[in-house]
Amino acid sequence: MKKIIIMTALSMSILFTGIFGSNNVDAASVNQRVKAANIAQQYIGLKYVWGGTTPKGFDCSGLVQYSFKQTGVSLPRTAAQQYKYGKYVGKNGLRKGDMVFFNTTGGISHVGIYIGNNKFVHSSSSGLRVDSMNNSYWKPKFVGGKRI
């Protein structure tokens, strides 16, 4: 009987880890996600820098990586790598601080941070800015969101 209880408990813990566990990164709290979104918004107007990962200039994934790092969450460097982390979230389920991904050149090629009201902050070739998810350029290129 004792073995059955132990095996059941072990099986349940493995099951719940698989269902609720994160994908290679510790799940960020709601506060961390909101803080990351707020950090990114502080840099609106900053110039775009290809490969940029600091407040001297960001590219899209550099902004996301930097903003989350300030909250204690480590993410990989590129948009395609970042897309491998977290739980998928559809457009209607997005919350402030979720990462939003786009296919602009074939595959996952752009990332930003959702800030609410159908808007996201990101670093584009014209600089760090806020755009609408319904923008005629971004809407058809949206792939999905990820919540970490």
Side-chain angles (χ1 to χ4, degrees), residues 108-124:
I108 304 299
S109 52
H110 192 71
V111 62
I113 301 175
Y114 187 74
I115 59 171
N117 296 321
N118 213 31
K119 295 181 180 177
F120 69 107
V121 61
H122 64 118
S123 187
S124 72

Side-chain angles (χ1 to χ4, degrees), residues 36-138:
N38 292 338
I39 289 167
Q41 289 178 86
Q42 292 175 4
Y43 297 104
I44 291 172
L46 188 70
K47 67 180 177 173
Y48 173 88
V49 173
W50 188 82
T53 60
T54 72
K56 292 181 180 180
F58 293 107
D59 66 11
C60 67
S61 58
L63 172 68
V64 172
Q65 183 186 48
Y66 176 86
S67 299
F68 276 97
K69 186 174 184 178
Q70 302 314 299
T71 72
V73 177
S74 295
L75 290 172
R77 178 63 188 90
T78 69
Q81 291 168 334
Q82 291 171 357
Y83 187 69
K84 295 176 183 177
Y85 290 79
K87 279 183 150 180
Y88 179 84
V89 180
K91 189 173 182 181
N92 292 332
L94 290 171
R95 294 186 194 148
K96 187 172 185 175
D98 288 341
M99 297 182 293
V100 288
F101 294 88
F102 302 86
N103 176 350
T104 60
T105 61
I108 304 299
S109 52
H110 192 71
V111 62
I113 301 175
Y114 187 74
I115 59 171
N117 296 321
N118 213 31
K119 295 181 180 177
F120 69 107
V121 61
H122 64 118
S123 187
S124 72
S125 58
S126 59
L128 208 146
R129 56 189 281 165
V130 172
D131 277 317
S132 170
M133 300 286 290
N134 286 330
N135 172 298
S136 62
Y137 180 78
W138 295 112

